Amino acid sequence: MGAGPDLNSGCKNVQAFTTVPSGSASDAMHAVSRVLAAALDADGPATVQRSLVREARRLFGVSSAFLLLVEPRERLARVVAYDAVEVPASSRIPLAGLPAIEDLRRRHADLRGAELDELGRALGMRRPPGFAVALPMRTRDANDHVLVLADRDAAHALDPERTELAAAFSAAAASALAQLRLVEEQAARTGQQAALARAAKTLNETLDLPAVLDAICNESRAILDGDSAAAYIGGQDEPLVIAAAVGLADDHVGRRMQIGEGLSGRVAVGDRAMLTNDYQRIAEPDADSPFTTVQSCLAVPMHWDGALRGVLSVGFTRAHFVTQQDLALLEAFGEIAAAACRNANAAAGLALAARTDGLTGCLNHAAMQEVLAREVQRAERSGKPLSVILLDLDDFKQVNEREGHLVGDEVLRRVGDALRIATRPYDAVARYGGDEFAIVAIEADETEAHEIASRAIERVQAGLAALGRPAGAVATAGVAERVGPLTPAEVLEEADRALLYGKHVGGRGTAVRSSDVPATYRAREQGLAPSTPGRMVESDATPAGGVPLEQEQLDKRTKQLVMANALGSRLSAMTDPLDITEAVVDELHRAFGYYLCAAVRVHDDGHVAAEAWRSEDVERRGEDRWSQPRGVGLIGRALGERKVLLVNDVSKEPSYAGSEHTTKTRAELVVPVWVGEHLWGVLNVEAVEVDAFDEDDVRVLQTIADQVGSALRSAELYAQLERAYLGTAEALAAALEAKDAYTAQHATSIVAWAEAVGRRLGMDAGALRNLRYGAVFHDIGKIAVPEAVLNKAGPLTPEERVLVRRHTVVGEQILAPVEFLAGVLPIVRHEHENWDGSGYPDGLRGMAIPLGARIVLVCDAFHAMTSDRPYRPALADQDAIAELLAHSGTQFDEMVVDAFLAVLEAERGAPVTAAVAPAG
């Protein structure tokens, strides 16, 4: 690459060295060439930085050269490379004492007096330098690097001419940093986006909140290459608690942080993302804090359910400057993490609801059976006791008949509260049937369980007395300890036998031990039908069909949980917004059979439109899309009020606005979808029955709306990244303009042609992406070709032809370190291979040549032939087309030529081959 052109407008390039004495300029040019060569071969910026200070010290004969990275926000400068007789005492230098470095508007600054002393102290020199000069280095859009040259001896100070040379050297060397930094940033963004996609998938693999928080910490640390990460739970006005951490001792999990403590505390109070590269000064952690070794830190708030719920932080104990770009990345991940927490919370809520009796707050029958089965297994392993208590309300049926179900429901609520108070925290309390309750007494033998049962009866009596119930026996309990190999069903049967004995033989209003019941007692002998585990109980919760409503609800909630979890994993892998909306409405329609499901987006023209929808009636009409004004109907109301709307009878809702597509709608549920801070639109589901939706539907649709919002946000970021990639590609290709104005304009011109040909030939999205970049980059290797050769008017010599032909290999080498361009490399390398094998660099032939390379070759050739060049004037379009046809099947792929000519015809609206005589 040699000295190369300067890629940064406004930076002095190597040609500036011709203004100084030839000997010094020659040395400087060689020094810059070595720096630029290091940029091409470097495995990271540190290699180039070390080369830069080494060359600077050697070139100007000074004892020390330092490269500083300036962080104005942090009021710090960091020593990123040095070549000096004394090792810097610290990598961090406060800017307060070095105004010459801080003020980068000047072209360069000679440090004098107190500034020299301060520089010496900051760099740990034993005595102040005799002279120093600070040279700002412009990389891209900011003066963020400073080259400092210093010497102990003031006699070695640079004269004005050598200072000018130093300024030219630093400006030219800055281009090497800029090129490398650009490539590094794009590669980093690619890796980060891939990490975000991987993290989103990981976070959607579980709905267990502790597991999600652990995954959040691991993924955030990996994305930013941090040394530690912590997830806090808490809000603005309450202390944060470390809920999960990685890179910290386990005993710090659960630690409570004072309001405003540390960077995370400040983030919570201010509800905004923050970073610092001087954590110890900013946070002033206590001696027992887990963060006493942190140097740099980033923290972002996490919101779900419309409120600040926690903070995510990543820390660095090693020297590492964090940037606003890092913070933006953590914010993007924080949104995904918050959505995962929201989903886990919602799942926990749904799981709890699926296990809980809605009236009493106790476990339901199915959940009790699960708990009992699990505890029986544990008791078998541990050998510890386990008992079961069944408690039945006396004369409860009369309460319902005489005083009504509202009073009966309140009695059941009071009983549920009393039982939870009477039992130990680790015991399980369940509503077993209509007026019957069960208690699984863990690690309790019959005597201990009997005490629990007696206490429970007392609490129930007290609770009902407070309700104004008459004194007397209100409940009877049966107690059974699991003895020997009894199964869960057999333990329940023993407790049930004791309960019935107490109610009908002796002991009504008390707790009866199973061991006190005569072995000969059987409920059938008393003319009673014994209860059996899992029996159907006549109550308000049992419909005529014989299936408990709680079981139906459990089935529904389970289905919702499974669907939401599966959909989250599916969406995490998608980057196309249309695919995301199609997936969600398809899953909702398939899983729940709603009459209508739609993902409705708000548009700037004041309308909303269905991006995707499912409805059998509408599909039969052949209609793919509908739209309406933003403020119309329940969708308009939900958007205006920015909240969920549930209407279970649209005929009674004044704001409902039906249409020809929704003639059967009787109930409607609308949930807003937020993409970051932007209200994207709504998810809308409709049913043909009144009262079709309940709070479970609301919860699951909110969960799915959060997943959709997160996926759409990721898709936005992915699209931004793609645009940034293409912009970078065009910027790098534009570097050729300094040597060959034709080449840069030429690269831009063939992109559209190449993409159109690729589409016509059926290339998929990934191949088209590589083709676009291949068209942009196909001539990037010409940077290594001297301008005199590129612009030569006459024929090239054999040596010059070798130089030109090497540009394909050089282009591949330039792009090889950029991971996201891996699929582009074959196009750049083989763009000059010919169909008959006569091309270069590898002499590939026929189908062995990548299709993208064959397409770029045809587009490249046509544009070259129809453009003025130093060695010949442009051909007319028809002559160039004739050349393509004449060499089709030898130099060019016939299929590609045909597709290219079809693209030209479509572009120009007329046949392009009519005037071309047939070949032969």
Side-chain angles (χ1 to χ4, degrees), residues 711-745:
L712 290 172
R713 174 63 173 157
S714 294
E716 281 185 357
L717 294 174
Y718 185 82
Q720 291 172 11
L721 188 68
E722 284 288 298
R723 289 193 295 271
Y725 287 162
L726 189 56
T728 300
E730 292 169 345
L732 289 177
L736 291 170
E737 188 172 358
K739 304 179 102 178
D740 184 3
Y742 159 78
T743 303
Q745 184 268 337

Side-chain angles (χ1 to χ4, degrees), residues 16-26 161-162 164-165:
F17 296 138
T18 58
T19 63
V20 296
S22 58
S24 298
S26 176
E161 194 172 69
R162 283 167 57 75
E164 180 69 18
L165 177 63

Side-chain angles (χ1 to χ4, degrees), residues 39 67 76 82 171 199 252 289 306 333 352 417 429 486 494 508 547 613 615 678 727 876:
L67 183 63
L76 290 171
Y82 64 89
H252 289 302
S289 168
F333 176 76
L352 180 61
D417 293 341
V429 180
L486 289 182
E494 282 300 306
R508 188 178 179 88
V547 179
W613 68 335
S615 174
H678 171 64

Side-chain angles (χ1 to χ4, degrees), residues 656-872:
Y656 174 73
S659 71
E660 59 179 319
H661 308 313
T662 58
T663 55
K664 297 180 181 179
T665 296
R666 296 297 177 267
E668 185 169 355
L669 174 57
V670 187
V671 177
V673 175
W674 292 87
V675 177
E677 299 297 319
H678 171 64
L679 182 57
W680 179 89
V682 299
L683 291 183
N684 181 59
V685 295
E686 302 179 19
V688 295
E689 305 92 7
V690 173
D691 294 326
F693 303 116
D694 57 22
E695 288 304 314
D696 292 331
D697 295 291
V698 172
R699 278 193 292 269
V700 76
L701 207 63
Q702 282 182 307
T703 297
I704 293 171
D706 285 346
Q707 291 174 334
V708 172
S710 178
L712 290 172
R713 174 63 173 157
S714 294
E716 281 185 357
L717 294 174
Y718 185 82
Q720 291 172 11
L721 188 68
E722 284 288 298
R723 289 193 295 271
Y725 287 162
L726 189 56
T728 300
E730 292 169 345
L732 289 177
L736 291 170
E737 188 172 358
K739 304 179 102 178
D740 184 3
Y742 159 78
T743 303
Q745 184 268 337
H746 163 71
T748 302
S749 299
I750 70 169
V751 172
W753 283 341
E755 186 172 3
V757 172
R759 290 186 186 281
R760 185 170 286 272
L761 293 177
M763 296 178 78
D764 61 28
L768 285 172
R769 170 188 174 277
N770 290 333
L771 179 59
R772 284 195 299 272
Y773 291 139
V776 171
F777 276 127
H778 75 282
D779 274 338
I780 192 68
K782 287 185 178 178
I783 287 179
V785 180
E787 292 181 41
V789 176
L790 285 177
N791 297 314
K792 186 175 181 179
L796 300 179
T797 66
E799 293 79 10
E800 291 169 340
R801 191 175 298 278
V802 169
L803 279 176
V804 171
R805 288 193 167 193
R806 270 189 52 78
H807 85 273
T808 59
V809 177
V810 172
E812 180 189 38
Q813 292 171 345
I814 290 173
L815 303 180
V818 187
E819 184 178 350
F820 83 88
L821 293 177
V824 179
L825 301 184
I827 298 175
V828 172
R829 180 181 181 90
H830 298 299
E831 186 256 332
H832 285 285
E833 305 281 7
N834 294 335
W835 184 255
D836 61 5
S838 63
Y840 61 88
D842 299 319
L844 299 183
R845 65 189 304 144
M847 298 297 287
I849 307 169
L851 176 58
R854 286 178 265 149
I855 292 172
V856 173
L857 176 63
V858 171
C859 300
D860 184 9
F862 182 79
H863 190 275
M865 287 188 288
T866 55
S867 302
D868 288 325
R869 302 298 288 132
Y871 45 85
R872 56 141 181 83

